[in-house]
Amino acid sequence: MKKLFGTDGIRGRANSYPITPELALLVGKATAKVLGGASGHQRVVLGKDTRISGYMLENAITSGLLSMGMDVLAVGPMPTPAVAHLTKSMGAVCGIMITASHNPACDNGIKIFAEDGFKLPDAVELEIEKEILGGKLAEDGVPGEAIGKAFRIEDARGRYIEFAKGSIRNLSLRGLKLVLDCANGAAYSIAPPIFRELGAEVIETAVKPNGLNINDGCGALHPENMGELVRKYGADAGIALDGDADRVIFCDANGNEVNGDRIIGMLALSFQREKKLASDTVVVTSMSNLGLSRAMKQAGIRVEVTDVGDRYVIERMRAGGFNVGGEQSGHIIFMDYATTGDGIISALHVLKLMKESGKPLAELAGFMTVFPQKLHSFAVARKTPLEELSLLPAEIEACRAALGESGRTIVRYSGTENKIRILVEAEQSSDVQHWIERLSAAAKQELN
């Protein structure tokens, strides 16, 4: 089992193990050793979001890479999907993104992409981890004359802007008024010009990062803010990105939230009509609402379900040759355009659908009837394997027996935080509340 890498890279409290400059330097060295091979001066794209700890980690990772003879192409604050794209388009051997995504500013993390722009397979992450923990990396390095160089890529922002607009062939968005919440994160200087250059009127918010305010009461985790602004300014839609812009949540003209399930479904239906939906299949995680599966089935679209985590969605999509998938949380993957979740490209395709259909977002998102659902997450003192507990598994089985095929429950630990997540879904809200309370009480009793 991996000790450092979780479902989305290495993540934790900044300046506390494992997110320390000392370990970040070893990440740079280990990545160079595993992915750079024996040949020197291969290139690595290095990006970050707007957390104050990004400066510390960027310099440490850069030092580790340079000491092993790698050249570093630093792109500064940049969305995670932009780093994935630039890695491939600039012929780099890998890409590294310094971010903790939707987590608060006190956290940070390190994601690594392979040369094809996809996240590293588990086996490669494990190999890098073994190098980091092996205790011998400190002695590794190239001779002085072979040390790598670091370059600041000044046009990286423009490269991604043009790539993103190209995903909808620079379709005019003239006539649309949008509220855009950038979460004081990586897309703060990139997302607004993309939508403006395509002709939309943009009311921007959370575009003044100070290193400490990323995701702070704003962005995809706080869609109520864009909802208020949409109603205030009479906008057609609201778009909220998270800290590294790999996820997006919408709201319609009435300020009502439009989550990842609805985005996946409406675009899958559009792709199906255009005969662009590969194998008439979408890929989602077990957290997606049963209402989405029911609506897709009625439309003749097959739904494949994976474990929670966009990496598992992507793995299934690549294995099956599918091109639309994602998570309820707003990670949407369009394999025809991107190798990872891309909040900006997802938003552009929703706006394209609005323009070409002439329909408001509320109408497009109304294709499904949502089952009442509640997700309760809370910190736990320890992540004891569920099968080693007694009370909680018994309650889970009781819940599943009671709900039958008209509902479900999913209990799992977070892959990036010391939390447990309990989801209950049923046809009746009263059943959802009843079982959320019982399962949460059992979890707290055994884990805290």
PDB file of all heavy atoms in Angstrom, residues 292-318:
ATOM      1  N   LEU A 292     -29.908  10.226 -11.900  1.00  0.00           N
ATOM      2  CA  LEU A 292     -29.126  10.333 -13.133  1.00  0.00           C
ATOM      3  C   LEU A 292     -29.142   8.999 -13.875  1.00  0.00           C
ATOM      4  O   LEU A 292     -29.367   8.961 -15.098  1.00  0.00           O
ATOM      5  CB  LEU A 292     -27.687  10.752 -12.817  1.00  0.00           C
ATOM      6  CG  LEU A 292     -26.719  10.760 -14.006  1.00  0.00           C
ATOM      7  CD1 LEU A 292     -27.163  11.765 -15.068  1.00  0.00           C
ATOM      8  CD2 LEU A 292     -25.298  11.079 -13.541  1.00  0.00           C
ATOM      9  N   SER A 293     -28.897   7.914 -13.162  1.00  0.00           N
ATOM     10  CA  SER A 293     -28.899   6.594 -13.803  1.00  0.00           C
ATOM     11  C   SER A 293     -30.253   6.293 -14.423  1.00  0.00           C
ATOM     12  O   SER A 293     -30.336   5.760 -15.540  1.00  0.00           O
ATOM     13  CB  SER A 293     -28.549   5.511 -12.772  1.00  0.00           C
ATOM     14  OG  SER A 293     -27.233   5.671 -12.298  1.00  0.00           O
ATOM     15  N   ARG A 294     -31.318   6.646 -13.721  1.00  0.00           N
ATOM     16  CA  ARG A 294     -32.662   6.376 -14.241  1.00  0.00           C
ATOM     17  C   ARG A 294     -32.915   7.186 -15.524  1.00  0.00           C
ATOM     18  O   ARG A 294     -33.447   6.649 -16.501  1.00  0.00           O
ATOM     19  CB  ARG A 294     -33.700   6.707 -13.176  1.00  0.00           C
ATOM     20  CG  ARG A 294     -35.126   6.428 -13.584  1.00  0.00           C
ATOM     21  CD  ARG A 294     -36.072   6.602 -12.416  1.00  0.00           C
ATOM     22  NE  ARG A 294     -35.907   5.559 -11.404  1.00  0.00           N
ATOM     23  CZ  ARG A 294     -36.657   5.479 -10.311  1.00  0.00           C
ATOM     24  NH1 ARG A 294     -37.609   6.371 -10.075  1.00  0.00           N
ATOM     25  NH2 ARG A 294     -36.460   4.499  -9.432  1.00  0.00           N
ATOM     26  N   ALA A 295     -32.524   8.461 -15.529  1.00  0.00           N
ATOM     27  CA  ALA A 295     -32.738   9.306 -16.705  1.00  0.00           C
ATOM     28  C   ALA A 295     -31.906   8.840 -17.891  1.00  0.00           C
ATOM     29  O   ALA A 295     -32.367   8.844 -19.038  1.00  0.00           O
ATOM     30  CB  ALA A 295     -32.404  10.758 -16.368  1.00  0.00           C
ATOM     31  N   MET A 296     -30.666   8.428 -17.622  1.00  0.00           N
ATOM     32  CA  MET A 296     -29.802   7.953 -18.698  1.00  0.00           C
ATOM     33  C   MET A 296     -30.358   6.651 -19.287  1.00  0.00           C
ATOM     34  O   MET A 296     -30.364   6.462 -20.510  1.00  0.00           O
ATOM     35  CB  MET A 296     -28.383   7.736 -18.181  1.00  0.00           C
ATOM     36  CG  MET A 296     -27.648   9.014 -17.761  1.00  0.00           C
ATOM     37  SD  MET A 296     -27.307  10.159 -19.122  1.00  0.00           S
ATOM     38  CE  MET A 296     -28.716  11.294 -18.997  1.00  0.00           C
ATOM     39  N   LYS A 297     -30.820   5.759 -18.430  1.00  0.00           N
ATOM     40  CA  LYS A 297     -31.374   4.485 -18.898  1.00  0.00           C
ATOM     41  C   LYS A 297     -32.578   4.724 -19.791  1.00  0.00           C
ATOM     42  O   LYS A 297     -32.745   4.074 -20.841  1.00  0.00           O
ATOM     43  CB  LYS A 297     -31.749   3.622 -17.697  1.00  0.00           C
ATOM     44  CG  LYS A 297     -32.246   2.237 -18.071  1.00  0.00           C
ATOM     45  CD  LYS A 297     -32.548   1.407 -16.830  1.00  0.00           C
ATOM     46  CE  LYS A 297     -33.043  -0.001 -17.212  1.00  0.00           C
ATOM     47  NZ  LYS A 297     -33.329  -0.817 -15.993  1.00  0.00           N
ATOM     48  N   GLN A 298     -33.430   5.668 -19.409  1.00  0.00           N
ATOM     49  CA  GLN A 298     -34.615   5.979 -20.211  1.00  0.00           C
ATOM     50  C   GLN A 298     -34.247   6.531 -21.580  1.00  0.00           C
ATOM     51  O   GLN A 298     -34.993   6.368 -22.552  1.00  0.00           O
ATOM     52  CB  GLN A 298     -35.504   6.974 -19.456  1.00  0.00           C
ATOM     53  CG  GLN A 298     -36.168   6.377 -18.223  1.00  0.00           C
ATOM     54  CD  GLN A 298     -36.892   7.402 -17.375  1.00  0.00           C
ATOM     55  OE1 GLN A 298     -36.729   8.622 -17.563  1.00  0.00           O
ATOM     56  NE2 GLN A 298     -37.695   6.937 -16.434  1.00  0.00           N
ATOM     57  N   ALA A 299     -33.067   7.177 -21.662  1.00  0.00           N
ATOM     58  CA  ALA A 299     -32.608   7.743 -22.932  1.00  0.00           C
ATOM     59  C   ALA A 299     -31.781   6.759 -23.750  1.00  0.00           C
ATOM     60  O   ALA A 299     -31.304   7.101 -24.832  1.00  0.00           O
ATOM     61  CB  ALA A 299     -31.791   9.009 -22.667  1.00  0.00           C
ATOM     62  N   GLY A 300     -31.603   5.559 -23.229  1.00  0.00           N
ATOM     63  CA  GLY A 300     -30.816   4.561 -23.941  1.00  0.00           C
ATOM     64  C   GLY A 300     -29.322   4.722 -23.765  1.00  0.00           C
ATOM     65  O   GLY A 300     -28.534   4.226 -24.579  1.00  0.00           O
ATOM     66  N   ILE A 301     -28.925   5.399 -22.690  1.00  0.00           N
ATOM     67  CA  ILE A 301     -27.508   5.612 -22.401  1.00  0.00           C
ATOM     68  C   ILE A 301     -27.103   4.705 -21.242  1.00  0.00           C
ATOM     69  O   ILE A 301     -27.750   4.693 -20.194  1.00  0.00           O
ATOM     70  CB  ILE A 301     -27.216   7.089 -22.055  1.00  0.00           C
ATOM     71  CG1 ILE A 301     -27.497   7.979 -23.271  1.00  0.00           C
ATOM     72  CG2 ILE A 301     -25.776   7.265 -21.585  1.00  0.00           C
ATOM     73  CD1 ILE A 301     -27.382   9.460 -22.979  1.00  0.00           C
ATOM     74  N   ARG A 302     -26.045   3.963 -21.445  1.00  0.00           N
ATOM     75  CA  ARG A 302     -25.547   3.048 -20.410  1.00  0.00           C
ATOM     76  C   ARG A 302     -24.700   3.825 -19.409  1.00  0.00           C
ATOM     77  O   ARG A 302     -23.952   4.723 -19.782  1.00  0.00           O
ATOM     78  CB  ARG A 302     -24.708   1.943 -21.059  1.00  0.00           C
ATOM     79  CG  ARG A 302     -24.344   0.795 -20.138  1.00  0.00           C
ATOM     80  CD  ARG A 302     -23.921  -0.421 -20.949  1.00  0.00           C
ATOM     81  NE  ARG A 302     -22.771  -0.111 -21.792  1.00  0.00           N
ATOM     82  CZ  ARG A 302     -21.509  -0.340 -21.441  1.00  0.00           C
ATOM     83  NH1 ARG A 302     -21.236  -0.865 -20.263  1.00  0.00           N
ATOM     84  NH2 ARG A 302     -20.529  -0.059 -22.263  1.00  0.00           N
ATOM     85  N   VAL A 303     -24.813   3.472 -18.146  1.00  0.00           N
ATOM     86  CA  VAL A 303     -24.051   4.129 -17.081  1.00  0.00           C
ATOM     87  C   VAL A 303     -23.109   3.115 -16.448  1.00  0.00           C
ATOM     88  O   VAL A 303     -23.551   2.074 -15.944  1.00  0.00           O
ATOM     89  CB  VAL A 303     -24.985   4.712 -16.003  1.00  0.00           C
ATOM     90  CG1 VAL A 303     -24.163   5.343 -14.878  1.00  0.00           C
ATOM     91  CG2 VAL A 303     -25.915   5.750 -16.617  1.00  0.00           C
ATOM     92  N   GLU A 304     -21.814   3.418 -16.483  1.00  0.00           N
ATOM     93  CA  GLU A 304     -20.829   2.596 -15.782  1.00  0.00           C
ATOM     94  C   GLU A 304     -20.434   3.316 -14.495  1.00  0.00           C
ATOM     95  O   GLU A 304     -20.220   4.535 -14.499  1.00  0.00           O
ATOM     96  CB  GLU A 304     -19.603   2.361 -16.660  1.00  0.00           C
ATOM     97  CG  GLU A 304     -19.892   1.496 -17.879  1.00  0.00           C
ATOM     98  CD  GLU A 304     -18.735   0.564 -18.201  1.00  0.00           C
ATOM     99  OE1 GLU A 304     -17.726   0.567 -17.469  1.00  0.00           O
ATOM    100  OE2 GLU A 304     -18.857  -0.170 -19.202  1.00  0.00           O
ATOM    101  N   VAL A 305     -20.333   2.574 -13.401  1.00  0.00           N
ATOM    102  CA  VAL A 305     -20.095   3.156 -12.084  1.00  0.00           C
ATOM    103  C   VAL A 305     -18.746   2.691 -11.542  1.00  0.00           C
ATOM    104  O   VAL A 305     -18.422   1.505 -11.587  1.00  0.00           O
ATOM    105  CB  VAL A 305     -21.215   2.771 -11.103  1.00  0.00           C
ATOM    106  CG1 VAL A 305     -20.962   3.395  -9.725  1.00  0.00           C
ATOM    107  CG2 VAL A 305     -22.571   3.218 -11.641  1.00  0.00           C
ATOM    108  N   THR A 306     -17.962   3.653 -11.032  1.00  0.00           N
ATOM    109  CA  THR A 306     -16.650   3.351 -10.463  1.00  0.00           C
ATOM    110  C   THR A 306     -16.610   3.754  -8.993  1.00  0.00           C
ATOM    111  O   THR A 306     -17.543   4.358  -8.465  1.00  0.00           O
ATOM    112  CB  THR A 306     -15.535   4.112 -11.202  1.00  0.00           C
ATOM    113  OG1 THR A 306     -15.573   5.503 -10.796  1.00  0.00           O
ATOM    114  CG2 THR A 306     -15.690   4.023 -12.700  1.00  0.00           C
ATOM    115  N   ASP A 307     -15.495   3.443  -8.344  1.00  0.00           N
ATOM    116  CA  ASP A 307     -15.251   3.967  -7.007  1.00  0.00           C
ATOM    117  C   ASP A 307     -15.122   5.483  -7.065  1.00  0.00           C
ATOM    118  O   ASP A 307     -14.920   6.067  -8.130  1.00  0.00           O
ATOM    119  CB  ASP A 307     -13.966   3.369  -6.422  1.00  0.00           C
ATOM    120  CG  ASP A 307     -14.110   1.891  -6.094  1.00  0.00           C
ATOM    121  OD1 ASP A 307     -15.257   1.443  -5.899  1.00  0.00           O
ATOM    122  OD2 ASP A 307     -13.081   1.192  -6.052  1.00  0.00           O
ATOM    123  N   VAL A 308     -15.213   6.122  -5.909  1.00  0.00           N
ATOM    124  CA  VAL A 308     -15.126   7.577  -5.845  1.00  0.00           C
ATOM    125  C   VAL A 308     -13.705   8.035  -6.155  1.00  0.00           C
ATOM    126  O   VAL A 308     -12.726   7.463  -5.673  1.00  0.00           O
ATOM    127  CB  VAL A 308     -15.554   8.075  -4.451  1.00  0.00           C
ATOM    128  CG1 VAL A 308     -15.384   9.587  -4.348  1.00  0.00           C
ATOM    129  CG2 VAL A 308     -17.000   7.684  -4.187  1.00  0.00           C
ATOM    130  N   GLY A 309     -13.595   9.062  -6.970  1.00  0.00           N
ATOM    131  CA  GLY A 309     -12.299   9.609  -7.366  1.00  0.00           C
ATOM    132  C   GLY A 309     -12.231   9.736  -8.869  1.00  0.00           C
ATOM    133  O   GLY A 309     -12.521   8.776  -9.591  1.00  0.00           O
ATOM    134  N   ASP A 310     -11.868  10.926  -9.356  1.00  0.00           N
ATOM    135  CA  ASP A 310     -11.854  11.125 -10.804  1.00  0.00           C
ATOM    136  C   ASP A 310     -10.819  10.239 -11.496  1.00  0.00           C
ATOM    137  O   ASP A 310     -10.975   9.906 -12.671  1.00  0.00           O
ATOM    138  CB  ASP A 310     -11.624  12.593 -11.156  1.00  0.00           C
ATOM    139  CG  ASP A 310     -10.277  13.125 -10.704  1.00  0.00           C
ATOM    140  OD1 ASP A 310      -9.807  12.752  -9.624  1.00  0.00           O
ATOM    141  OD2 ASP A 310      -9.690  13.927 -11.451  1.00  0.00           O
ATOM    142  N   ARG A 311      -9.783   9.814 -10.775  1.00  0.00           N
ATOM    143  CA  ARG A 311      -8.789   8.941 -11.395  1.00  0.00           C
ATOM    144  C   ARG A 311      -9.407   7.605 -11.805  1.00  0.00           C
ATOM    145  O   ARG A 311      -9.043   7.020 -12.824  1.00  0.00           O
ATOM    146  CB  ARG A 311      -7.585   8.729 -10.486  1.00  0.00           C
ATOM    147  CG  ARG A 311      -7.825   7.886  -9.255  1.00  0.00           C
ATOM    148  CD  ARG A 311      -6.563   7.725  -8.429  1.00  0.00           C
ATOM    149  NE  ARG A 311      -5.515   7.065  -9.198  1.00  0.00           N
ATOM    150  CZ  ARG A 311      -4.222   7.378  -9.106  1.00  0.00           C
ATOM    151  NH1 ARG A 311      -3.849   8.361  -8.307  1.00  0.00           N
ATOM    152  NH2 ARG A 311      -3.333   6.722  -9.802  1.00  0.00           N
ATOM    153  N   TYR A 312     -10.380   7.116 -11.003  1.00  0.00           N
ATOM    154  CA  TYR A 312     -11.020   5.849 -11.329  1.00  0.00           C
ATOM    155  C   TYR A 312     -11.992   6.010 -12.504  1.00  0.00           C
ATOM    156  O   TYR A 312     -12.156   5.094 -13.317  1.00  0.00           O
ATOM    157  CB  TYR A 312     -11.728   5.294 -10.098  1.00  0.00           C
ATOM    158  CG  TYR A 312     -10.781   5.107  -8.938  1.00  0.00           C
ATOM    159  CD1 TYR A 312     -10.925   5.834  -7.759  1.00  0.00           C
ATOM    160  CD2 TYR A 312      -9.702   4.227  -9.031  1.00  0.00           C
ATOM    161  CE1 TYR A 312     -10.041   5.677  -6.702  1.00  0.00           C
ATOM    162  CE2 TYR A 312      -8.813   4.070  -7.983  1.00  0.00           C
ATOM    163  CZ  TYR A 312      -8.981   4.799  -6.822  1.00  0.00           C
ATOM    164  OH  TYR A 312      -8.094   4.659  -5.790  1.00  0.00           O
ATOM    165  N   VAL A 313     -12.635   7.162 -12.569  1.00  0.00           N
ATOM    166  CA  VAL A 313     -13.491   7.458 -13.725  1.00  0.00           C
ATOM    167  C   VAL A 313     -12.648   7.481 -14.991  1.00  0.00           C
ATOM    168  O   VAL A 313     -13.012   6.880 -16.011  1.00  0.00           O
ATOM    169  CB  VAL A 313     -14.210   8.811 -13.534  1.00  0.00           C
ATOM    170  CG1 VAL A 313     -14.969   9.197 -14.809  1.00  0.00           C
ATOM    171  CG2 VAL A 313     -15.166   8.762 -12.353  1.00  0.00           C
ATOM    172  N   ILE A 314     -11.515   8.156 -14.925  1.00  0.00           N
ATOM    173  CA  ILE A 314     -10.642   8.263 -16.100  1.00  0.00           C
ATOM    174  C   ILE A 314     -10.105   6.894 -16.516  1.00  0.00           C
ATOM    175  O   ILE A 314     -10.052   6.571 -17.706  1.00  0.00           O
ATOM    176  CB  ILE A 314      -9.489   9.249 -15.814  1.00  0.00           C
ATOM    177  CG1 ILE A 314     -10.051  10.670 -15.686  1.00  0.00           C
ATOM    178  CG2 ILE A 314      -8.430   9.206 -16.915  1.00  0.00           C
ATOM    179  CD1 ILE A 314      -9.064  11.683 -15.142  1.00  0.00           C
ATOM    180  N   GLU A 315      -9.717   6.087 -15.542  1.00  0.00           N
ATOM    181  CA  GLU A 315      -9.216   4.745 -15.853  1.00  0.00           C
ATOM    182  C   GLU A 315     -10.268   3.934 -16.601  1.00  0.00           C
ATOM    183  O   GLU A 315      -9.966   3.263 -17.596  1.00  0.00           O
ATOM    184  CB  GLU A 315      -8.806   4.029 -14.567  1.00  0.00           C
ATOM    185  CG  GLU A 315      -7.497   4.532 -13.974  1.00  0.00           C
ATOM    186  CD  GLU A 315      -7.188   3.894 -12.624  1.00  0.00           C
ATOM    187  OE1 GLU A 315      -7.975   3.017 -12.194  1.00  0.00           O
ATOM    188  OE2 GLU A 315      -6.184   4.268 -12.003  1.00  0.00           O
ATOM    189  N   ARG A 316     -11.530   3.985 -16.144  1.00  0.00           N
ATOM    190  CA  ARG A 316     -12.599   3.239 -16.808  1.00  0.00           C
ATOM    191  C   ARG A 316     -12.870   3.811 -18.197  1.00  0.00           C
ATOM    192  O   ARG A 316     -13.123   3.054 -19.146  1.00  0.00           O
ATOM    193  CB  ARG A 316     -13.870   3.291 -15.954  1.00  0.00           C
ATOM    194  CG  ARG A 316     -15.035   2.489 -16.516  1.00  0.00           C
ATOM    195  CD  ARG A 316     -14.818   0.984 -16.385  1.00  0.00           C
ATOM    196  NE  ARG A 316     -14.694   0.596 -15.000  1.00  0.00           N
ATOM    197  CZ  ARG A 316     -15.724   0.337 -14.187  1.00  0.00           C
ATOM    198  NH1 ARG A 316     -16.962   0.433 -14.639  1.00  0.00           N
ATOM    199  NH2 ARG A 316     -15.514  -0.032 -12.941  1.00  0.00           N
ATOM    200  N   MET A 317     -12.825   5.134 -18.324  1.00  0.00           N
ATOM    201  CA  MET A 317     -13.058   5.756 -19.620  1.00  0.00           C
ATOM    202  C   MET A 317     -11.984   5.348 -20.624  1.00  0.00           C
ATOM    203  O   MET A 317     -12.276   5.035 -21.785  1.00  0.00           O
ATOM    204  CB  MET A 317     -13.100   7.278 -19.478  1.00  0.00           C
ATOM    205  CG  MET A 317     -14.321   7.795 -18.729  1.00  0.00           C
ATOM    206  SD  MET A 317     -14.279   9.584 -18.454  1.00  0.00           S
ATOM    207  CE  MET A 317     -14.555  10.191 -20.121  1.00  0.00           C
ATOM    208  N   ARG A 318     -10.737   5.351 -20.182  1.00  0.00           N
ATOM    209  CA  ARG A 318      -9.646   4.966 -21.083  1.00  0.00           C
ATOM    210  C   ARG A 318      -9.749   3.494 -21.473  1.00  0.00           C
ATOM    211  O   ARG A 318      -9.539   3.124 -22.636  1.00  0.00           O
ATOM    212  CB  ARG A 318      -8.298   5.240 -20.422  1.00  0.00           C
ATOM    213  CG  ARG A 318      -8.019   6.707 -20.165  1.00  0.00           C
ATOM    214  CD  ARG A 318      -6.653   6.907 -19.525  1.00  0.00           C
ATOM    215  NE  ARG A 318      -5.576   6.722 -20.503  1.00  0.00           N
ATOM    216  CZ  ARG A 318      -4.284   6.728 -20.186  1.00  0.00           C
ATOM    217  NH1 ARG A 318      -3.916   6.888 -18.923  1.00  0.00           N
ATOM    218  NH2 ARG A 318      -3.370   6.569 -21.115  1.00  0.00           N
TER     219      ARG A 318
END
